[in-house]
Amino acid sequence: MSSASSSSRPLNRGAACLPCRKLKARCDGNKPACGRCIANGRPDDCEYAVGGEVTRSRLLEENIALLESRIRELENPNEAPSVRLHDPRRQDASTAGASQGNMPGPSSMQQLVSGVAQPSATISAPGQQEAQTLLQTFMAHASQLGFFLNPTRFMRAAGLPRGAPGSLDEALLNAVYLWGSRLSSSNTLRARETYFSANAVQAAAGNTLIPQPTASNNGLLHTAQTAVLLANYFLSSGRLLEGKYHLLAAVALITGSKLQQLDVVSQVTAGTDPVAIGEKIHAFWTVFALDKAWSAAMNGPPSICHRGRAGILVTTPWPLAIEAYEQGTIVPQRGYYYSVHEFALGGVDESGEDFSRLALRVKAAALYESALYVISQYQPNMPNRNEFFALFNGLDGAIEAFHRRLAAIRSTNPDDARELLVARTLSCVAAIQLHSVFANQQPTSRQKALSVAIAAVRALDLVDVNQCRHLDSVVAMLWSVVGKALLKEIRNLRQSGVPIRQEDMARLVTPLDRIMAAMTALAYYSPLMASQLAELQQERASIN
C-alpha cells in the first residue's frame, strides 16, 4: 500500500504505532516506520502492538524494573529479594527451575535486540583508515561521552588485532565507532551510524551484567564502559527508555563489583598498578555522576542513593586527574576529606584541592539531584518546617559556594573548559530547581532563579559551541530548564500590566537568544537537543 493511499484512509482503532498513539497524532500505519516517525527523525522508535504481542518498549520497561530491583538488592542485600532478568514472555522449564539469585546468561537479553535494526549484510566493517578516523573523532570528544578508561592504554588496546589478548571486545569497539560515526564530519561515516548502533547493541546483549569470578578487570571495565557509552548515545538521541536501560546496566555492574567500596590498599597489595586502580575509581564516579544527573533530569529517584537508611556506603576515593594515576598517585593529597552527602549539606572547605574534571562533575551532578530531592520533601503544612529550611539553606549555600569556585577556575585546556561549562550549568540549574517551589510566592526565590539562569548563559563564554560538536547529553535538558526560566520571566513581564522598558526586556531576550543559538549549534549532532530546542521555539512563539 502506498503512503498516499494509507494516509487517506482512517486506521482501525488501536492500529496506529505506539509513538503516534501516545501523542494522539494521526498515523498512516506504514511499516516498518510510519510517515510521522520518519519525518520526526525517529524511525527506530516506530513500533506496533499486535494482539497480545509484547512490544520492545514494554520489554524494556519490564527489564528496567528488574534491573532496578537487582540494584536495590545489591545496595541492601538483607532487605531486597533477589531477581533474575529474563524474557517475561517465556516461562519454560529452564527459567522456572533457575535459582532466583542468578543473573542472566548472555542469551537472556537477546530478545531486546529483536526490535533494533539489525546489522546490514551489505555494509562491511570499517577499514583500517576508517577505523582510525572513527577512533580519533571519538577521542576528541571522549571527555563528554562518559569515557573513563586510561586513554593511552585504550588506544593501545584498540590497535591490537581483534580477538588478541588485551584487545577491545566487539561491543566496546562498536560503541566507540558509533559515537565516532555520529560526530564525524564525513557523510559517508555518518551514514553508517545505524550499522554501528545495531552492532553495538547486539554485542552488548551478550554481556553479562553480573561480575564473573574468572573475568578480567579489563572485561569488567570494558563492559561497564560499553553500557555508559550506549546510555549516553540513546539519551542524546532522545530515546530515553533505551538510555535508561543501559544506564541501569552500568549501575548494576558497577555496584555488583563493589567499586563503590574500592579498597585501594588491598589493590596495591595485590599488585594492581595505579593506572588500573584509577580506571576503577573513574568507572564508579562516572556512573555515579551519570545516574545523579539523569535521574534529576527525568525527575526520578537515583539508582545509587547516598543518603538516609537506604543509602549505600561509598568509600572509594574521590577521583583524581588521569595524569595523577600515571604518576603513581591514587588518593588525593589535599582536601576531599568529606563524603558526597556532607558536601551537599554545605559547609565543607574545598580550598586547595587538586583539580579533577570528574570530581567537579560528581559534585555538580550531586547538587542537581539533591535540589530535586529537597524540593520533593516540601509540603505547605509540613510539621518539620525548621528541619526542611535548614536543609534548603544548607544546599542553597553549597550550590552558591560551588558555583563561585567554578567561576574562579581558569583553564586553557579545551576539555577542562567544556567540563567547567557543564559543571557550572548543572549548578545553576540546581539553584533554579531548588528555588522553583517558592518562585511564584517569594520575590527572593524568583530573583535568585532568574539570576542563576542568566549566569548559566554567561558560562557559554567558556566554550565556542560553534566549534564544539557535542557536550554531555544532559546539557540539552539543562539548557531547556534555563530557557524556560527566561521565557517564564518574559511572560510575567508582558502580563504585568505596567509599561515595559526596553532594557528590562533586553535583559531577558538577549540571554534567551544566546542559549537557543547554542542549542541550534549542537542540535545537528543531538536529536535530544533538537527536540528540546523545538519545545522552546514553540513556547516562545506562543508568547510573542
Side-chain angles (χ1 to χ4, degrees):
M1 181 181 294
S2 68
S3 175
S5 61
S6 65
S7 60
S8 62
R9 184 181 306 166
L11 295 177
N12 293 330
R13 183 177 178 83
C17 73
L18 297 184
C20 287
R21 286 165 64 178
K22 184 176 292 186
L23 295 172
K24 297 182 180 180
R26 185 170 182 175
C27 180
D28 59 27
N30 284 340
K31 297 180 180 178
C34 75
R36 180 176 289 275
C37 287
I38 292 174
N40 290 337
R42 305 284 291 276
D44 290 343
D45 290 351
C46 190
E47 58 181 357
Y48 295 83
V50 181
E53 178 185 352
V54 179
T55 65
R56 186 168 184 272
S57 293
R58 174 69 180 276
L59 193 59
L60 271 169
E61 289 170 348
E62 293 183 359
N63 276 281
I64 283 173
L66 289 169
L67 270 174
E68 289 173 333
S69 295
R70 174 60 180 167
I71 291 167
R72 286 194 297 270
E73 174 194 359
L74 292 169
E75 294 178 346
N76 302 281
N78 297 325
E79 299 177 12
S82 293
V83 296
R84 181 179 187 273
L85 296 188
H86 66 291
D87 180 346
R89 287 174 282 186
R90 297 186 57 192
Q91 289 294 337
D92 55 25
S94 63
T95 59
S99 167
Q100 282 190 324
N102 293 332
M103 286 291 280
S107 62
S108 62
M109 291 295 102
Q110 289 292 340
Q111 186 60 46
L112 287 175
V113 183
S114 62
V116 178
Q118 297 300 296
S120 172
T122 62
I123 301 178
S124 60
Q128 185 175 358
Q129 186 58 48
E130 288 179 322
Q132 190 65 24
T133 300
L134 291 167
L135 276 169
Q136 289 173 349
T137 303
F138 169 81
M139 292 304 296
H141 302 85
S143 66
Q144 294 297 304
L145 303 177
F147 183 70
F148 56 73
L149 299 174
N150 179 270
T152 302
R153 294 189 178 185
F154 171 79
M155 291 301 291
R156 188 185 305 140
L160 295 173
R162 293 192 181 187
S167 63
L168 304 183
D169 62 35
E170 287 296 310
L172 178 53
L173 197 58
N174 277 281
V176 168
Y177 289 163
L178 172 61
W179 270 112
S181 172
R182 165 168 285 188
L183 300 177
S184 174
S185 58
S186 164
N187 290 333
T188 301
L189 291 178
R190 282 182 59 83
R192 304 177 73 174
E193 184 178 336
T194 302
Y195 168 78
F196 292 126
S197 173
N199 276 342
V201 171
Q202 189 173 62
N207 290 335
T208 178
L209 301 182
I210 283 296
Q212 302 299 310
T214 58
S216 67
N217 287 330
N218 279 346
L220 163 69
L221 295 181
H222 287 184
T223 301
Q225 183 67 87
T226 301
V228 168
L229 293 178
L230 288 177
N232 269 319
Y233 173 79
F234 286 115
L235 292 169
S236 177
S237 301
R239 296 161 65 174
L240 303 188
L241 197 61
E242 289 160 284
K244 184 176 181 180
Y245 170 78
H246 289 287
L247 171 54
L248 288 173
V251 172
L253 190 61
I254 290 298
T255 54
S257 306
K258 299 294 183 184
L259 291 190
Q260 72 274 19
Q261 297 169 3
L262 188 66
D263 186 345
V264 295
V265 175
S266 297
Q267 293 280 316
V268 172
T269 303
T272 308
D273 68 89
V275 171
I277 296 174
E279 286 184 319
K280 293 180 181 180
I281 294 172
H282 272 228
F284 167 70
W285 287 114
T286 297
V287 173
F288 180 95
L290 187 63
D291 174 57
K292 293 294 180 184
W294 271 100
S295 66
M298 293 191 281
N299 200 26
S303 297
I304 304 176
C305 180
H306 68 272
R307 64 174 69 86
R309 294 181 60 186
I312 63 170
L313 176 65
V314 177
T315 58
T316 300
W318 284 88
L320 303 176
I322 292 172
E323 296 77 13
Y325 302 112
E326 293 175 338
Q327 294 166 8
T329 304
I330 299 174
V331 297
Q333 302 299 305
R334 296 177 295 177
Y336 296 105
Y337 57 87
Y338 45 83
S339 68
V340 171
H341 182 56
E342 290 168 335
F343 168 74
L345 290 176
V348 302
D349 181 11
E350 299 178 82
S351 62
E353 291 181 349
D354 297 321
F355 178 82
S356 164
R357 290 197 299 264
L358 182 52
L360 294 181
R361 172 68 65 91
V362 169
K363 291 179 178 181
L367 291 174
Y368 179 33
E369 186 273 329
S370 294
L372 272 292
Y373 169 78
V374 168
I375 63 173
S376 73
Q377 305 302 301
Y378 178 74
Q379 298 293 333
N381 299 317
M382 60 195 308
N384 54 339
R385 291 176 64 86
N386 291 339
E387 181 181 334
F388 169 81
F389 281 108
L391 189 63
F392 179 96
N393 291 328
L395 179 58
D396 193 33
I399 294 172
E400 190 171 323
F402 182 66
H403 190 266
R404 282 199 306 269
R405 184 191 174 211
L406 292 177
I409 296 175
R410 298 289 181 266
S411 177
T412 57
N413 183 298
D415 284 338
D416 290 349
R418 287 191 287 266
E419 193 55 58
L420 285 169
L421 170 59
V422 175
R424 285 175 63 172
T425 308
L426 278 165
S427 64
C428 287
V429 173
I432 292 173
Q433 300 287 37
L434 184 65
H435 286 271
S436 64
V437 70
F438 302 117
N440 290 334
Q441 295 83 26
Q442 298 290 338
T444 303
S445 282
R446 178 180 172 183
Q447 185 57 41
K448 180 67 175 285
L450 175 59
S451 64
V452 293
I454 294 173
V457 178
R458 289 200 199 101
L460 286 167
D461 292 341
L462 292 164
V463 174
D464 182 357
V465 293
N466 292 304
Q467 302 299 320
C468 177
R469 295 176 194 167
H470 183 79
L471 289 172
D472 187 278
S473 55
V474 80
V475 169
M477 308 296 283
L478 302 177
W479 282 350
S480 177
V481 172
V482 173
K484 288 176 181 178
L486 293 168
L487 282 169
K488 181 179 179 180
E489 286 302 313
I490 292 174
R491 183 182 293 107
N492 289 340
L493 186 59
R494 287 184 171 169
Q495 294 175 352
S496 64
V498 300
I500 301 174
R501 296 188 306 171
Q502 184 176 358
E503 58 267 30
D504 290 337
M505 184 59 72
R507 179 170 177 255
L508 302 172
V509 171
T510 300
L512 178 62
D513 286 341
R514 190 175 182 192
I515 204 75
M516 293 180 71
M519 296 176 78
T520 301
L522 299 182
Y524 180 72
Y525 294 100
S526 170
L528 179 63
M529 187 73 78
S531 68
Q532 295 300 308
L533 173 62
E535 284 187 18
L536 286 181
Q537 290 169 333
Q538 185 175 1
E539 185 173 344
R540 186 173 190 175
S542 70
I543 63 175
N544 282 340

